[in-house]
Amino acid sequence: MLKIVVCVSGGGTNLQAIIDGIAQGAIYNTKIVRVVCNNPGAGALERAKAAGIEGVCVSPKDYEDRERFEAALVRAVEEADPDLIVLAGFLVKVPAALIKHYENRIINIHPSLIPAFCGTGYYGLRVHEAALSRGVKITGATVHFVDEGMDTGPIIMQKAVEVHEDDTPKTLQRRVMEEAEWVILPWCINLIAAGQIKLENGRVIVTG
Ligand code: GAR
C-alpha cells in the first residue's frame, strides 16, 4: 500500500481528483494518510474533511520566522510517514530538508508544459496569464519529481491542451485542469503505486 501525504494551498481540485481516483479504483493500492496545508482558509481542507482524511494546517503566520515554519512543515509531513509526497497546488517552496529526506519521492503538478512558463513566480493563474500573453496555441500540464530547483526535476508525464482564441486566464486554467491535471496526476500516482516508474540518468522511464 502506497501511503501518500498530499500538500495543498488552495481550492484542492487536484486533491479531489486523487480522492476520487482512489475511491473509483483508477488509483490502486494507495491511501492518503494526511493532507498538509499552509493556508487555514483553503477549500482543500474542507475536501479532506469531507473525505474523512486527516488535515493538518501549518500556517507561516503561526511561526516567528521561516526556519520555525519550515521545521513545523517537515514535522507535519514526517509524522505521517509517507512513501510519497504529492504537491497538489502547494504554493510553498519545499524545505531543503524534506527534499533531501524524500529524494525522488516528491511529485508536483504544474499547469504548463515544462520548461515553458515555470520557475519562480509562475504559479496558479499567473502561468495561464503568461501563456496567453505569449500567444501560445498549445499549453498543458506536467507532473514531475521535485528536486532542489523550482520546477526543474525529472518529468514524469505531460499532457497538451489547446488554447482557444477567446480564452481568459480563468477559462484556460479550467480547461488545463479538466483535460490535463486531473487526468495525469492520478495516473502518475497509480503508476508509482504499481512500481512502474523508474529513474535512469535523471530521466523517467515508465515500465510494465
Ligand atoms: C493547479 O492548477 C496546480 O497545477 C497549480 O495550482 C493549482 C491548484 O489548484 N500549481 C502550481 O501552479 C504550482 N506551481 P487546486 O488547489 O484546485 O488543485
Side-chain angles (χ1 to χ4, degrees), residues 48-128:
K49 198 170 168 196
I53 300 163
E54 181 193 26
V56 173
C57 185
V58 182
S59 166
K61 291 189 189 124
D62 296 334
Y63 297 89
E64 269 172 52
D65 53 32
R66 186 81 194 173
E67 205 180 315
R68 288 183 174 86
F69 164 62
E70 287 198 351
L73 201 58
V74 171
R75 264 199 313 279
V77 172
E78 288 186 348
E79 266 169 21
D81 192 24
D83 302 307
L84 179 75
I85 301 168
V86 179
L87 310 183
F90 188 56
L91 305 182
V92 171
K93 183 157 173 40
V94 181
L98 211 55
I99 295 175
K100 213 167 170 194
H101 186 171
Y102 289 92
E103 196 184 7
N104 300 330
R105 291 194 294 149
I106 309 178
I107 64 170
N108 178 49
I109 178 89
H110 184 77
S112 74
L113 294 173
I114 289 175
F117 313 117
C118 64
T120 307
Y122 287 101
Y123 58 86
L125 261 193
R126 291 179 184 213
V127 176
H128 305 291

Side-chain angles (χ1 to χ4, degrees), residues 183-207:
V183 178
I184 64 173
L185 185 57
W187 190 345
C188 287
I189 294 170
N190 186 51
L191 287 174
I192 292 170
Q196 287 182 269
I197 299 274
K198 263 209 240 160
L199 257 173
E200 269 179 32
N201 303 322
R203 290 198 193 180
V204 169
I205 295 170
V206 180
T207 62

